[in-house]
Amino acid sequence: MATMTRPVRIGVQIQPQHASYDQIRDAVRRAEDMGVDVIFNWDHFFPLSGDPEGAHFECWTMLAAWAEQTSRVQFGALVSCNSYRNPQLLADMARTVDHISDGRLILGIGSGWFERDYDEYGYEFGTAGGRLDDLAEALPQIEHRWAQLNPKPAHDIPVMIGGGGEKKTLRLVAQYADIWHSFSDAATLERKIGVLQGHCSDVGRPADEIEISVGVGGKGREGRSPDAPEDEGAPLRELGASLFTMGVSGPDYDLAPLEPWLRWRDDLNAS
């Protein structure tokens, strides 16, 4: 699945925690100005790190604001939780945000995992398998609703499925995803790509239609210097990954660690 013909793209996840909205808006502006390809947020109701009672903002209303604020980048949630919204409504929300942005939305979606969100907002947490079954039911509903809407989405909205479960999640990736996102090192990614190729064969779809997306900069998230892209990114690139996304948290949103990744992207895409 080494789709090396895909250009390298660099994304950043502006985590909507521990910051004012002015600080989030400024981080988005700086990220687009410095040349990132994709800007993500996430779909939670409380911080995932730091003070669990810290400042936090909602995902989809924010994406509508980003659609107006930005002019070049693709953007979306990494990833939207299927449990929090009726899939027909989510399809309509995505269509609307896609039009606001003139066709730059990515619909990132996953089955959900953060139990506090469910408990405090009154959603049934259930089981991991049950949440994946719900996602399997939702994905064709989203596609069907897009076909019924007037107007239809401004472009063919890419569907990005997040997660690495080999039995159910990767099967859904094979069936529905344009992009698959995981947090994998090279050895893990190689194994999971093999599983994904098997699912693609089962459903009769070329595996190289699916863009491989990975989270990077993990050591930086633990307070240490991130690996250089030549060390962390190159082995993933050799396996076919083309979208590399680093997460940054508020309030300061330090984007400096993205700079070597952008230079690495430019060097690879020029060669």
Side-chain angles (χ1 to χ4, degrees):
M1 196 170 182
T3 53
M4 301 299 288
T5 56
R6 290 185 188 273
V8 170
R9 302 197 294 160
I10 302 300
V12 61
Q13 184 187 54
I14 305 293
Q15 299 166 355
Q17 60 178 8
H18 309 306
S20 68
Y21 192 73
D22 284 347
Q23 290 168 315
I24 293 172
R25 182 192 297 112
D26 178 66
V28 171
R29 176 192 59 78
R30 289 186 287 120
E32 184 169 46
D33 287 350
M34 72 190 298
V36 302
D37 299 289
V38 188
I39 303 176
F40 295 109
N41 62 7
W42 66 28
D43 191 17
H44 295 289
F45 305 132
F46 302 95
L48 298 187
S49 63
D51 179 3
E53 305 304 325
H56 197 279
F57 288 97
E58 193 274 330
C59 169
W60 273 91
T61 44
M62 182 179 296
L63 291 179
W66 289 7
E68 284 282 8
Q69 177 186 346
T70 60
S71 61
R72 177 188 57 79
V73 293
Q74 285 190 290
F75 66 99
L78 183 60
V79 288
S80 186
C81 177
N82 175 65
S83 305
Y84 301 159
R85 300 163 194 86
N86 175 289
Q88 310 274 350
L89 172 61
L90 180 61
D92 203 340
M93 291 165 59
R95 180 278 308 255
T96 300
V97 172
D98 194 48
H99 274 270
I100 296 170
S101 69
D102 293 324
R104 292 181 288 115
L105 179 73
I106 295 171
L107 177 61
I109 192 166
S111 59
W113 62 273
F114 189 40
E115 189 169 2
R116 184 185 180 189
D117 284 348
Y118 287 78
D119 291 346
E120 296 217 24
Y121 276 61
Y123 298 104
E124 181 181 352
F125 188 59
T127 65
R131 294 191 299 276
L132 280 165
D133 291 341
D134 290 342
L135 178 61
E137 292 181 5
L139 288 164
Q141 293 183 52
I142 290 168
E143 290 187 350
H144 178 75
R145 179 53 54 190
W146 279 339
Q148 303 303 309
L149 288 169
N150 181 17
K152 292 180 172 55
H155 80 313
D156 290 332
I157 299 174
V159 173
M160 179 177 69
I161 294 178
E166 296 181 3
K167 182 178 179 181
K168 290 187 175 182
T169 301
L170 292 182
R171 177 78 176 193
L172 294 176
V173 171
Q175 291 175 293
Y176 297 106
D178 301 287
I179 308 168
W180 166 52
H181 180 85
S182 70
F183 296 92
S184 299
D185 59 22
T188 303
L189 186 66
E190 185 173 23
R191 185 185 75 250
K192 291 185 181 296
I193 284 175
V195 174
L196 178 57
Q197 288 174 329
H199 286 307
C200 286
S201 178
D202 290 343
V203 302
R205 181 183 183 193
D208 61 7
E209 290 183 355
I210 301 167
E211 182 174 14
I212 304 300
S213 169
V214 288
V216 295
K219 291 185 178 179
R221 287 196 297 269
E222 297 169 5
R224 295 172 284 168
S225 296
D227 285 343
E230 294 82 0
D231 297 326
E232 185 178 5
L236 301 168
R237 176 62 173 167
E238 286 294 325
L239 293 168
S242 60
L243 176 55
F244 302 84
T245 297
M246 181 180 294
V248 293
S249 180
D252 297 328
Y253 294 113
D254 179 12
L255 303 183
L258 284 164
E259 293 173 355
W261 287 88
L262 294 169
R263 292 193 296 269
W264 179 70
R265 174 201 67 187
D266 292 345
D267 290 343
L268 284 178
N269 290 346
S271 61

